[in-house]
Coordinates of all heavy atoms in Angstrom, one line a residue:
M1 N 97.3 130.0 66.9 CA 97.6 128.7 67.6 C 98.8 128.1 67.0 O 98.9 128.0 65.7 CB 96.4 127.7 67.4 CG 95.1 128.1 68.1 SD 95.1 128.0 69.9 CE 94.5 126.3 70.1
A2 N 99.6 127.5 67.8 CA 100.8 126.8 67.4 C 100.4 125.6 66.6 O 99.5 124.9 66.9 CB 101.7 126.5 68.6
N3 N 101.1 125.4 65.4 CA 100.6 124.3 64.6 C 101.9 123.7 64.0 O 102.8 124.5 63.6 CB 99.7 124.8 63.5 CG 98.4 123.9 63.5 OD1 98.3 123.0 64.2 ND2 97.7 124.3 62.4
P4 N 101.9 122.3 63.8 CA 103.1 121.8 63.0 C 103.2 122.3 61.8 O 102.1 122.5 61.0 CB 102.8 120.2 63.1 CG 101.8 120.1 64.1 CD 101.0 121.4 64.3
K5 N 104.4 122.6 61.2 CA 104.5 123.2 59.8 C 104.2 122.1 58.8 O 103.8 122.5 57.7 CB 105.8 123.7 59.7 CG 106.1 124.7 58.4 CD 107.3 125.5 58.7 CE 107.4 126.6 57.6 NZ 108.4 127.5 57.8
R6 N 104.7 120.8 59.0 CA 104.6 119.8 58.1 C 104.0 118.6 58.7 O 104.0 118.4 59.9 CB 105.9 119.3 57.5 CG 106.5 120.4 56.5 CD 107.9 120.1 56.1 NE 108.7 121.3 56.0 CZ 108.5 122.1 55.1 NH1 107.6 122.0 54.1 NH2 109.4 123.1 54.8
K7 N 103.3 117.7 57.9 CA 102.8 116.5 58.3 C 104.0 115.5 58.6 O 104.9 115.5 58.1 CB 102.0 115.8 57.1 CG 101.7 114.4 57.5 CD 101.0 113.8 56.2 CE 100.6 112.3 56.5 NZ 99.8 111.7 55.3
L8 N 103.9 114.9 59.8 CA 105.0 114.0 60.3 C 104.8 112.6 59.4 O 103.7 112.0 59.4 CB 104.7 113.7 61.8 CG 105.9 112.9 62.4 CD1 107.2 113.7 62.4 CD2 105.5 112.5 63.9
S9 N 105.8 112.3 58.7 CA 105.7 111.2 57.8 C 105.6 109.9 58.7 O 106.0 109.8 59.8 CB 107.0 111.1 56.9 OG 108.1 110.8 57.7
R10 N 105.2 108.8 58.0 CA 105.1 107.5 58.7 C 106.5 107.1 59.1 O 106.6 106.4 60.1 CB 104.5 106.5 57.7 CG 102.9 106.4 57.8 CD 102.5 105.2 57.1 NE 102.3 105.6 55.7 CZ 102.0 104.8 54.7 NH1 101.8 103.5 55.0 NH2 101.8 105.2 53.5
A11 N 107.5 107.2 58.3 CA 108.8 106.9 58.7 C 109.2 107.6 59.9 O 109.8 107.0 60.9 CB 109.7 107.2 57.6
S12 N 109.0 108.9 60.1 CA 109.5 109.6 61.2 C 108.8 109.2 62.5 O 109.4 109.1 63.6 CB 109.3 111.2 61.1 OG 110.0 111.7 59.9
K13 N 107.5 108.9 62.3 CA 106.8 108.4 63.4 C 107.3 107.0 63.9 O 107.5 106.8 65.1 CB 105.2 108.4 63.0 CG 104.3 108.1 64.2 CD 102.8 108.5 63.8 CE 102.3 107.6 62.7 NZ 101.0 107.8 62.5
G14 N 107.6 106.2 62.9 CA 108.1 104.9 63.2 C 109.5 105.0 63.9 O 109.8 104.3 64.9
H15 N 110.4 105.9 63.4 CA 111.6 106.1 64.0 C 111.5 106.4 65.5 O 112.1 105.9 66.4 CB 112.4 107.1 63.3 CG 113.0 106.6 62.1 ND1 113.5 105.4 61.9 CD2 112.9 107.1 60.7 CE1 114.0 105.2 60.6 NE2 113.5 106.2 60.0
R16 N 110.6 107.3 65.8 CA 110.4 107.8 67.2 C 109.9 106.7 68.0 O 110.3 106.6 69.2 CB 109.4 109.1 67.2 CG 109.3 109.6 68.6 CD 108.4 110.8 68.6 NE 106.9 110.4 68.3 CZ 106.2 110.9 67.5 NH1 106.5 111.8 66.7 NH2 104.9 110.4 67.3
R17 N 109.0 105.9 67.5 CA 108.3 104.8 68.1 C 109.3 103.5 68.3 O 108.7 102.6 68.9 CB 107.0 104.6 67.7 CG 106.0 105.8 67.9 CD 104.7 105.5 67.5 NE 103.9 106.6 67.6 CZ 102.6 106.8 67.2 NH1 102.1 105.9 66.6 NH2 102.0 108.0 67.4
A18 N 110.4 103.6 67.7 CA 111.2 102.4 67.7 C 111.6 102.0 69.1 O 112.0 100.9 69.3 CB 112.4 102.5 66.8
H19 N 111.6 102.9 70.0 CA 112.1 102.6 71.4 C 111.0 102.4 72.4 O 111.3 102.4 73.6 CB 113.1 103.7 71.9 CG 114.2 104.0 71.0 ND1 115.3 103.1 71.0 CD2 114.3 104.9 70.0 CE1 116.2 103.7 70.1 NE2 115.6 104.7 69.5
L20 N 109.7 102.3 71.9 CA 108.6 102.2 72.8 C 108.1 100.9 73.2 O 107.2 100.6 73.9 CB 107.4 102.9 72.2 CG 107.7 104.5 71.9 CD1 106.3 105.1 71.5 CD2 108.1 105.2 73.2
A21 N 108.9 99.8 72.6 CA 108.4 98.5 72.9 C 108.4 98.1 74.3 O 109.4 98.5 75.0 CB 109.3 97.5 72.1
L22 N 107.5 97.3 74.8 CA 107.5 96.9 76.2 C 108.4 95.6 76.3 O 108.4 94.9 75.4 CB 106.0 96.4 76.6 CG 105.0 97.5 76.6 CD1 103.6 97.0 76.9 CD2 105.4 98.6 77.5
T23 N 108.9 95.5 77.5 CA 109.7 94.4 77.8 C 109.1 93.5 78.7 O 108.3 93.8 79.5 CB 111.2 94.7 78.3 OG1 110.9 95.5 79.6 CG2 111.9 95.6 77.4
R24 N 109.3 92.2 78.6 CA 108.7 91.2 79.6 C 109.3 91.5 81.0 O 110.4 91.8 81.1 CB 109.0 89.8 79.2 CG 108.4 89.3 78.0 CD 108.7 87.8 77.7 NE 108.1 87.0 78.6 CZ 106.7 86.6 78.4 NH1 106.0 86.9 77.5 NH2 106.2 85.8 79.4
A25 N 108.4 91.2 82.0 CA 108.8 91.4 83.3 C 109.9 90.3 83.7 O 109.6 89.1 83.3 CB 107.6 91.3 84.3
Q26 N 110.9 90.8 84.3 CA 111.9 89.8 84.7 C 111.4 89.0 85.9 O 110.9 89.6 86.9 CB 113.2 90.7 85.2 CG 113.9 91.4 84.0 CD 114.2 90.4 82.8 OE1 115.0 89.5 83.0 NE2 113.6 90.7 81.6
L27 N 111.8 87.8 86.0 CA 111.3 86.9 87.1 C 112.5 86.2 87.8 O 113.5 85.9 87.0 CB 110.4 85.9 86.7 CG 109.1 86.4 86.1 CD1 108.2 85.2 85.6 CD2 108.3 87.2 87.1
V28 N 112.5 86.2 89.1 CA 113.5 85.4 89.8 C 112.8 84.4 90.8 O 111.7 84.5 91.0 CB 114.5 86.4 90.7 CG1 115.1 87.2 89.8 CG2 113.6 87.1 91.7
R29 N 113.5 83.4 91.2 CA 113.0 82.4 92.1 C 113.0 82.9 93.4 O 113.9 83.5 94.0 CB 113.8 81.1 92.0 CG 113.6 80.3 90.8 CD 113.6 78.8 90.9 NE 113.3 78.1 89.8 CZ 112.1 77.7 89.4 NH1 111.0 78.1 90.3 NH2 111.7 77.2 88.4
C30 N 111.9 82.6 94.1 CA 111.7 82.9 95.6 C 112.7 82.1 96.3 O 112.8 80.8 96.1 CB 110.3 82.6 96.1 SG 110.1 82.7 97.9
T31 N 113.6 82.6 97.2 CA 114.5 81.8 97.9 C 114.0 80.9 99.0 O 114.5 79.9 99.3 CB 115.5 82.8 98.7 OG1 114.8 83.8 99.4 CG2 116.4 83.6 97.7
H32 N 112.7 81.1 99.2 CA 112.0 80.3 100.3 C 111.2 79.1 99.7 O 111.4 78.0 100.1 CB 111.1 81.1 101.2 CG 110.5 80.4 102.4 ND1 109.2 80.1 102.4 CD2 111.1 79.9 103.6 CE1 109.0 79.3 103.5 NE2 110.1 79.3 104.1
C33 N 110.3 79.4 98.7 CA 109.5 78.4 98.2 C 109.7 78.1 96.7 O 109.2 77.2 96.2 CB 108.0 78.9 98.3 SG 107.5 80.2 97.2
G34 N 110.5 78.9 96.0 CA 111.0 78.6 94.6 C 110.0 79.1 93.6 O 110.2 78.8 92.5
A35 N 108.9 79.8 94.0 CA 108.0 80.3 93.0 C 108.7 81.5 92.2 O 109.6 82.2 92.8 CB 106.8 80.9 93.7
M36 N 108.3 81.7 91.0 CA 108.7 82.8 90.2 C 108.1 84.1 90.7 O 106.9 84.1 90.6 CB 108.5 82.5 88.7 CG 109.1 81.3 88.2 SD 110.8 81.2 88.4 CE 111.4 82.3 87.2
I37 N 108.9 85.1 91.1 CA 108.4 86.3 91.4 C 109.3 87.4 90.9 O 110.3 87.2 90.3 CB 108.5 86.5 93.1 CG1 109.8 86.3 93.6 CG2 107.5 85.5 93.7 CD1 110.2 86.5 94.9
R38 N 108.6 88.5 90.8 CA 109.6 89.7 90.4 C 110.4 90.2 91.3 O 110.2 90.1 92.6 CB 108.6 91.0 90.1 CG 107.4 90.5 88.9 CD 106.6 91.7 88.6 NE 107.5 92.7 87.8 CZ 107.0 93.8 87.1 NH1 105.7 93.9 87.3 NH2 107.7 94.6 86.6
P39 N 111.7 90.5 90.9 CA 112.6 90.9 91.9 C 112.3 92.1 92.8 O 111.5 93.0 92.3 CB 113.9 91.3 91.0 CG 113.4 91.5 89.7 CD 112.2 90.7 89.6
H40 N 112.8 92.2 94.0 CA 112.5 93.1 95.0 C 111.0 93.3 95.5 O 110.6 94.4 95.8 CB 113.0 94.6 94.5 CG 114.4 94.5 93.8 ND1 114.7 94.8 92.5 CD2 115.6 94.2 94.4 CE1 115.9 94.6 92.3 NE2 116.5 94.3 93.5
T41 N 110.4 92.1 95.3 CA 109.0 92.2 95.8 C 108.8 91.0 96.8 O 109.6 90.0 96.7 CB 108.0 91.9 94.7 OG1 108.3 90.7 94.0 CG2 108.1 93.2 93.6
I42 N 107.8 91.1 97.5 CA 107.4 90.0 98.6 C 106.8 88.9 97.6 O 106.2 89.1 96.7 CB 106.4 90.5 99.6 CG1 107.0 91.6 100.4 CG2 105.8 89.4 100.5 CD1 106.0 92.3 101.3
C43 N 107.2 87.6 98.1 CA 106.6 86.4 97.4 C 105.1 86.4 97.7 O 104.7 86.3 98.7 CB 107.3 85.3 97.8 SG 106.7 83.7 97.1
K44 N 104.3 86.3 96.6 CA 102.9 86.1 96.9 C 102.4 84.8 97.3 O 101.5 84.7 98.1 CB 102.3 86.4 95.5 CG 101.5 87.8 95.3 CD 100.7 87.8 94.1 CE 99.9 89.0 94.1 NZ 99.2 89.2 92.8
A45 N 103.4 83.8 97.1 CA 102.9 82.4 97.5 C 103.1 82.2 99.0 O 102.3 81.6 99.7 CB 103.7 81.3 96.6
C46 N 104.3 82.7 99.5 CA 104.6 82.4 100.8 C 104.9 83.5 101.7 O 105.0 83.4 102.9 CB 106.0 81.4 100.9 SG 107.4 82.3 100.4
G47 N 104.8 84.8 101.1 CA 104.9 85.9 102.0 C 106.3 86.3 102.5 O 106.4 87.0 103.4
H48 N 107.4 85.7 101.8 CA 108.7 86.0 102.2 C 109.4 87.0 101.4 O 109.1 87.1 100.3 CB 109.6 84.7 102.3 CG 109.3 83.7 103.5 ND1 108.1 83.1 103.7 CD2 110.2 83.4 104.5 CE1 108.3 82.4 104.8 NE2 109.5 82.6 105.3
Y49 N 110.3 87.8 102.1 CA 111.2 88.6 101.3 C 112.4 88.7 102.0 O 112.6 88.8 103.2 CB 110.5 90.1 101.3 CG 111.4 91.1 100.5 CD1 111.5 91.0 99.2 CD2 112.0 92.1 101.2 CE1 112.3 91.9 98.5 CE2 112.8 93.0 100.5 CZ 113.0 92.9 99.1 OH 113.7 93.7 98.4
R50 N 113.5 88.4 101.3 CA 114.9 88.4 101.9 C 115.1 87.5 103.0 O 115.6 87.9 104.1 CB 115.4 89.8 102.1 CG 115.5 90.7 100.9 CD 116.3 92.1 101.1 NE 117.6 91.8 101.6 CZ 118.5 92.7 101.7 NH1 118.2 93.8 101.1 NH2 119.7 92.3 102.2
G51 N 114.4 86.3 103.0 CA 114.6 85.3 104.0 C 113.7 85.4 105.2 O 113.9 84.7 106.2
R52 N 112.9 86.4 105.2 CA 112.0 86.7 106.4 C 110.7 86.6 105.9 O 110.3 87.1 104.9 CB 112.3 87.9 107.1 CG 113.8 88.1 107.8 CD 113.7 89.3 108.8 NE 113.6 90.5 108.0 CZ 112.6 91.4 108.5 NH1 111.9 91.2 109.4 NH2 112.5 92.6 107.8
Q53 N 109.6 86.2 106.8 CA 108.2 86.1 106.4 C 107.8 87.6 106.8 O 107.9 88.1 107.9 CB 107.5 85.1 107.3 CG 106.0 85.3 107.0 CD 105.3 83.8 107.0 OE1 105.8 82.9 107.6 NE2 104.3 83.6 106.2
I54 N 107.1 88.3 105.8 CA 106.7 89.6 105.9 C 105.2 89.7 106.2 O 104.6 90.2 107.0 CB 107.0 90.4 104.7 CG1 108.6 90.3 104.5 CG2 106.7 91.9 104.8 CD1 109.4 90.9 105.5
V55 N 104.4 88.9 105.3 CA 103.1 88.8 105.4 C 102.6 87.4 105.4 O 103.3 86.4 105.0 CB 102.4 89.4 104.1 CG1 102.7 91.0 104.1 CG2 102.7 88.8 102.9
V56 N 101.5 87.0 106.1 CA 101.1 85.7 106.2 C 100.3 85.3 104.9 O 99.4 86.2 104.5 CB 100.1 85.5 107.4 CG1 99.5 84.1 107.5 CG2 100.9 85.9 108.7
A57 N 100.6 84.2 104.3 CA 99.9 83.8 103.0 C 98.4 83.7 103.3 O 98.0 83.2 104.3 CB 100.5 82.6 102.4
E58 N 97.6 83.9 102.3 CA 96.3 83.9 102.3 C 95.7 82.4 102.5 O 94.8 82.2 103.2 CB 95.5 84.6 101.1 CG 95.7 86.1 101.2 CD 95.6 86.8 99.8 OE1 94.8 86.1 99.0 OE2 96.0 87.8 99.6
N59 N 96.3 81.5 101.7 CA 95.7 80.2 101.7 C 97.0 79.2 102.0 O 97.6 78.8 101.1 CB 95.0 79.8 100.4 CG 95.8 80.3 99.2 OD1 96.9 80.9 99.3 ND2 95.1 80.0 98.1
G60 N 97.2 78.8 103.3 CA 98.3 77.9 103.5 C 99.1 78.3 104.7 O 99.4 79.1 105.4
Ligands
ZN1 ZN1 108.1 82.2 98.1

């Protein structure tokens, strides 16, 4: 069976994982209602996307 020749040191493991951090989701304002939404997504509050109503909002 293939097996690593040496133990991977804590430093090496840390160096490899230095780029694994999660980033916060970017938020933009909805052009219709001003709610904070993720870019390129339909607004959950008003159902608009790029100036047009796509879905009918659940409450309102
Ligand atoms: Zn909206």
Side-chain angles (χ1 to χ4, degrees):
M1 294 286 270
N3 230 5
K5 197 166 188 176
R6 290 175 211 293
K7 174 184 176 175
L8 190 65
S9 70
R10 267 188 276 175
S12 298
K13 191 162 65 177
H15 286 310
R16 185 180 69 234
R17 293 181 182 178
H19 302 283
L20 298 184
L22 296 174
T23 56
R24 289 187 71 86
Q26 298 298 304
L27 294 177
V28 296
R29 284 215 174 273
C30 171
T31 52
H32 186 255
C33 71
M36 298 305 285
I37 56 173
R38 301 186 67 168
H40 314 114
T41 60
I42 297 173
C43 175
K44 253 187 175 178
C46 66
H48 278 66
Y49 181 68
R50 295 191 58 164
R52 290 195 301 129
Q53 179 142 26
I54 310 294
V55 295
V56 178
E58 287 160 23
N59 43 4

